[in-house]
Amino acid sequence: MPLPKKARIVEVGPRDGLQNEKPPVSAATKIELIGRLADCGLTAIEATAFVSPKWVPQMADAAAVMAGIERRSGVAYPVLVPNQRGLEAALAAGAGEVAVFAAASEAFSRKNINCTVKESLERFKPVLAMAKEARVKVRGYVSCVLGCPYQGAVAPVAVADVAGALLEMGCYEISLGDTIGTGTPEKTRAMIELVARRVPLKKLAGHYHDTFGMAIANIYASLQMGVSVFDASVGGLGGCPYANGASGNVASEDVVWLLQGLGIDCGVDLDRLVDTAAWISGQLGRAPGSKVAQAVLARRTT
Ligand code: HMG
Ligand code: MG
């Protein structure tokens, strides 16, 4: 299949990235980060998560973040919701798009949202119904699509079942999460092939963590199969609080470099993105982790 001409990056740094960073990050810094990311040309920026602060204290300021961001036209600011309570809070905060999150692994589902996969899908049905009534779009996540930190291997058919259930429930797009970044291109290809029997390729997104450095290779494999939406995190921030040792998402700037090299338009200004990666990494007391950010910054000083 020819490579797509355009791709969309869903920037998840403010949520997936910062939910797992140890240094405290103020709501004001998160708000500034989201504004800077919009300045880079990103059109989907996952802003925060309306989850239990007991489970993820880093997202306890979700309402303050949503109240502080400047909403630009043409930019979506989705937020994570684990249940009806989360959706109600998200709607009260003016969210125009939300995301529900399930897993292809029973063990991970219990650790992350304290219920079985089946129970989680039941829990999401009223969330989807309420969101539809409020005319709010819902994205669906499936975690552990290429491996689970607790149970190891995950069968592609389990991924396809959960992805299919989320689509049938009304999710407009299904994001496939390699939560612990153990996937490799051939495994990614085989998983997508099976999932595509239940969910059209145009409705799939790749959400690859870069723990083993394979995320860019997995994105390339996904592009070759016709997937054109990828989640990424500026500066490669973060990980997952319920997947010990998982490193951040693939860095947004690495994805932009890949796409530009392939002649695929994603509408993102790489230089501004590198500046943003350097800025937020500085706020966390370190240099940006991604190779592309480091290389672009080094080139500027020579
Ligand atoms: P629970 O303990 O089973 O449920 O948690 P509960 O109903 O007993 O609630 C526990 C407490 O949280 C109660 O407070 C509730 O009121 C409160 P208490 O009475 O003890 O004071 N509560 C809430 N507070 C704020 N907002 C809410 C909410 N709901 C309940 N929405 C629950 C179940 C689902 C709430 C919990 O497990 C949870 O919040 N989990 C979220 C975990 C999480 O955010 N993980 C990271 C995101 S997923 C991810 O990163 C993967 C992804 O990136 C894709 C990938 O990489 O694979 C998406
Ligand atoms: Mg993730």
Side-chain angles (χ1 to χ4, degrees), residues 15-16 19 46 49-56 59 80-87 89 100-102 108 110-115 123 141-145 175-180 207 209 239-242 249:
R15 193 281 303 173
D16 204 349
Q19 79 181 7
E46 198 171 70
F50 286 88
V51 296
S52 167
K54 286 187 180 153
W55 289 66
V56 185
M59 296 287 113
L80 245 57
V81 299
N83 52 19
Q84 241 172 306
R85 173 157 171 200
L87 177 64
V100 293
F101 47 107
F108 185 81
R110 284 185 182 281
K111 294 269 186 195
N112 194 41
I113 50 175
N114 204 23
C115 62
R123 189 181 282 177
Y141 277 106
V142 186
S143 283
C144 299
V145 301
S175 176
L176 300 169
D178 183 10
T179 317
I180 53 168
H207 176 110
H209 285 256
C240 175
Y242 292 96
N249 298 88

Side-chain angles (χ1 to χ4, degrees), residues 16-17 19-22 108 112 143-144 147-150 177-182 207-213 233 236-250 286:
D16 204 349
Q19 79 181 7
N20 204 39
E21 292 289 348
K22 290 262 158 14
F108 185 81
N112 194 41
S143 283
C144 299
C148 168
Y150 308 106
D178 183 10
T179 317
I180 53 168
T182 49
H207 176 110
Y208 306 133
H209 285 256
D210 205 22
T211 321
F212 286 79
S233 179
L237 297 176
C240 175
Y242 292 96
N244 215 354
S247 78
N249 298 88
V250 64
R286 59 169 192 251

